[in-house]
């Protein structure tokens, strides 16, 4: 059995259903991220695993032990679930130094090597020179790192982290992502991480559970979630700049399938996976900005699709272009150094296999 199993979990707060019929199975040593917009139910899910909220229905299992089941009248309280938690709103002891805040759990449990262990996590989190200070002498980001250190030092097999990097500035967030990833490999712990930041999820996780309105949308590895988004919600939520999406109607002309995006715009659907689609079907087409190639029209005067540069948005190594494509505006990303300016005519190329197609229920056709 997996390390952590949620079986058909529902959580209601009065009329609000925060989590609905959630099944999730998390293997030992994985870094699993619950990802979704504000209010989608990710913190509630984490709090149920921790034992801080009781599900309205369903069961939770940790390491082959049922820790919650309403039907079987089982509830194991947080302290007995043997897991560490770091929350967005952490509370450090104001009257203790950083050292004592970190070492507190080790001290009350009479653990050995307190000094060495505390020093080690302080080093990892770059707060070793702050050990003598008090919390009110620290910045928000430093306090957050102390809160993380305090949990890491306990060496739990399972760590629950709820937006632990949210108070840090962009540079520190980036560094801390790398540290947390290294730490995960080093500690061999199972981590459940909550964030609304898709980049954080993509860069750190072994698996991502995408949630929206209390419902699980997709549970897969980061590259799958990105390349094979199970539905329109996931396609839109993951990716920056966002995916280009168009409502369309399927047409078949002399056996050739096309997506009719507008009166003026038809996109050839040459990939075999679209062969089962019937004429007249309502579909959505998704194309990631990096799957669209643009070139000066002079390089490819006979191109099938043509457009005009609406604006150029250089962003260092990556350049973004807004391109007028008949009666649509699309976002294209290219590596820097493209010799293209506003109002230039361009050839547009889209490889058939990169086109994502969603049926009238919004589900990806594979
Ligand atoms: P955020 O990123 O903003 O923290 P979230 O995805 O973690 O959001 P939850 O905090 O799990 O979302 O909340 C899910 C839904 O449940 C929301 O509609 C929220 O208002 C509601 N909710 C959460 N906790 C409670 C509570 N204690 N009482 C009433 N409603 C609650």
């Amino acid at each position: 059995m997996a390390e952590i199993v949620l079986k058909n979990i529902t959580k209601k707060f009065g009329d609000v259903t925060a989590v609905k019929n959630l099944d999730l199975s998390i293997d030992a040593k994985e870094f699993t991220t619950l990802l979704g917009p504000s209010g989608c139910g990710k913190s509630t899910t984490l709090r149920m695993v921790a034992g801080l909220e009781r599900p309205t229905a369903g069961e939770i299992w940790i390491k082959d032990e049922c820790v919650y089941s309403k039907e079987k009248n089982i509830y194991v309280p947080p302290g007995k679930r043997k897991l560490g938690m770091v929350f967005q709103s952490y509370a450090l002891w104001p009257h203790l130094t950083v050292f004592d805040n970190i070492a507190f759990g080790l001290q009350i449990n009479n653990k050995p090597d307190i000094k060495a262990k505390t020093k080690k996590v302080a080093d990892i989190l770059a707060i070793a020179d702050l050990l003598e200070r008090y919390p009110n002498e620290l910045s928000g980001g430093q306090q957050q790192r102390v809160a993380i250190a305090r949990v890491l030092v306990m060496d739990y097999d399972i760590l629950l982290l709820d937006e632990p990097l949210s108070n840090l500035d962009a540079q520190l967030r980036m560094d801390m992502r790398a540290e947390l990833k290294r730490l995960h490999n080093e500690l061999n712990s199972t981590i459940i991480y909550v964030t609304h930041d898709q980049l954080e999820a993509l860069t750190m996780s072994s698996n991502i559970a995408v949630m929206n309105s209390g419902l699980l949308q997709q549970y897969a590895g980061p590259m799958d979630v990105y390349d094979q988004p199970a539905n329109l919600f996931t396609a839109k939520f993951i990716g920056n700049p966002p995916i280009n999406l168009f409502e369309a109607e399927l047409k078949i002309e002399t056996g050739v399938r096309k997506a009719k995006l507008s009166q003026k715009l038809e996109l050839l659907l040459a990939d075999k996976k679209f062969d089962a689609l019937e004429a007249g079907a309502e579909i959505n087409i998704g194309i990631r900005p990096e799957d669209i190639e643009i070139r000066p029209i002079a390089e490819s005067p006979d191109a099938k699709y043509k457009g005009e540069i609406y604006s150029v948005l250089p962003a260092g190594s990556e350049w973004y272009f807004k391109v007028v494509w008949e009666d649509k505006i699309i976002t294209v990303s290219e590596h820097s150094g493209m010799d293209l300016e506003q109002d230039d005519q361009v050839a547009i190329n889209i490889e058939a296999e990169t086109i994502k197609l969603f049926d009238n229920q919004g589900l990806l056709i594979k």
Side-chain angles (χ1 to χ4, degrees), residues 13 16 18 37-44 53 163:
F13 294 104
V16 177
S38 180
C40 72
K42 48 198 192 298
S43 293
T44 302
E53 297 286 358
E163 308 240 11

Side-chain angles (χ1 to χ4, degrees), residues 7-21 44 48 53-60 68-71:
K7 291 186 187 173
N8 205 14
I9 290 291
T10 292
K11 175 66 185 175
K12 291 186 182 171
F13 294 104
D15 290 344
V16 177
T17 303
V19 177
K20 200 171 174 193
N21 303 121
T44 302
M48 289 191 287
E53 297 286 358
R54 300 181 192 215
T56 312
E59 284 186 0
I60 299 177
Y68 185 83
S69 167
K70 194 164 188 178
E71 295 85 64

Side-chain angles (χ1 to χ4, degrees), residues 81-144:
R81 294 196 185 185
K82 297 189 197 98
L83 31 82
M85 292 171 264
V86 183
F87 292 106
Q88 199 174 354
S89 55
Y90 45 86
L92 302 177
W93 299 106
H95 60 291
L96 296 183
T97 61
V98 168
F99 180 92
D100 287 330
N101 263 286
I102 299 173
F104 186 78
L106 298 173
Q107 286 162 348
I108 59 167
N109 287 298
N110 283 322
K111 297 281 186 191
D113 307 325
I114 293 180
K115 214 169 170 179
K117 285 178 186 166
T118 303
K119 182 80 178 48
K120 189 179 167 206
V121 291
D123 276 339
I124 291 173
L125 292 162
I127 46 176
D129 53 344
L130 307 175
L131 289 172
E132 301 309 317
R133 291 209 203 162
Y134 288 87
N136 68 0
E137 297 167 329
L138 304 176
S139 71
Q142 289 167 337
Q143 290 185 31
Q144 196 146 21

Side-chain angles (χ1 to χ4, degrees), residues 53-272:
E53 297 286 358
R54 300 181 192 215
T56 312
E59 284 186 0
I60 299 177
W61 291 68
I62 298 176
K63 293 188 177 195
D64 296 333
E65 184 196 352
C66 183
V67 294
Y68 185 83
S69 167
K70 194 164 188 178
E71 295 85 64
K72 297 177 194 159
N73 201 20
I74 297 172
Y75 169 67
V76 176
K80 298 229 161 87
R81 294 196 185 185
K82 297 189 197 98
L83 31 82
M85 292 171 264
V86 183
F87 292 106
Q88 199 174 354
S89 55
Y90 45 86
L92 302 177
W93 299 106
H95 60 291
L96 296 183
T97 61
V98 168
F99 180 92
D100 287 330
N101 263 286
I102 299 173
F104 186 78
L106 298 173
Q107 286 162 348
I108 59 167
N109 287 298
N110 283 322
K111 297 281 186 191
D113 307 325
I114 293 180
K115 214 169 170 179
K117 285 178 186 166
T118 303
K119 182 80 178 48
K120 189 179 167 206
V121 291
D123 276 339
I124 291 173
L125 292 162
I127 46 176
D129 53 344
L130 307 175
L131 289 172
E132 301 309 317
R133 291 209 203 162
Y134 288 87
N136 68 0
E137 297 167 329
L138 304 176
S139 71
Q142 289 167 337
Q143 290 185 31
Q144 196 146 21
R145 279 179 284 157
V146 176
I148 296 172
R150 189 173 57 172
V151 174
L152 288 185
V153 82
M154 298 302 291
D155 215 6
Y156 291 107
D157 289 346
I158 299 174
L159 290 175
L160 308 181
L161 307 173
D162 192 348
E163 308 240 11
L165 307 185
S166 57
N167 287 357
L168 308 184
D169 63 38
Q171 177 63 47
L172 204 52
R173 263 177 99 107
M174 184 73 180
D175 292 347
M176 283 297 298
R177 279 182 206 147
E179 292 306 338
L180 277 179
K181 206 166 170 178
R182 280 187 69 86
L183 218 79
H184 172 243
N185 292 335
E186 227 171 87
L187 299 176
N188 262 324
S189 45
T190 307
I191 293 182
I192 309 184
Y193 191 95
V194 162
T195 184
H196 61 271
D197 181 333
Q198 45 117 11
L199 186 61
E200 206 155 281
L202 288 173
T203 49
M204 294 202 296
S205 323
S206 7
N207 276 312
I208 301 177
V210 183
M211 296 179 71
N212 186 34
S213 306
L215 288 169
L216 183 67
Q217 306 291 311
Q218 186 167 12
Y219 182 40
M223 284 321 287
D224 271 350
V225 166
Y226 187 80
D227 283 335
Q228 304 281 319
N231 57 29
L232 278 174
F233 175 82
T234 309
K236 276 189 254 188
F237 194 73
I238 308 244
N240 188 24
I243 194 166
N244 294 288
L245 275 177
F246 313 98
E247 288 178 2
E249 184 190 324
L250 194 104
K251 267 180 74 175
I252 305 179
E253 275 175 4
T254 55
V256 178
R257 285 179 163 68
K258 294 174 181 176
K260 186 174 175 192
L261 310 191
S262 69
Q263 287 303 334
K264 296 182 175 171
L265 198 54
E266 287 183 356
L267 183 69
L268 196 62
L269 299 174
D271 205 79
K272 279 200 164 22

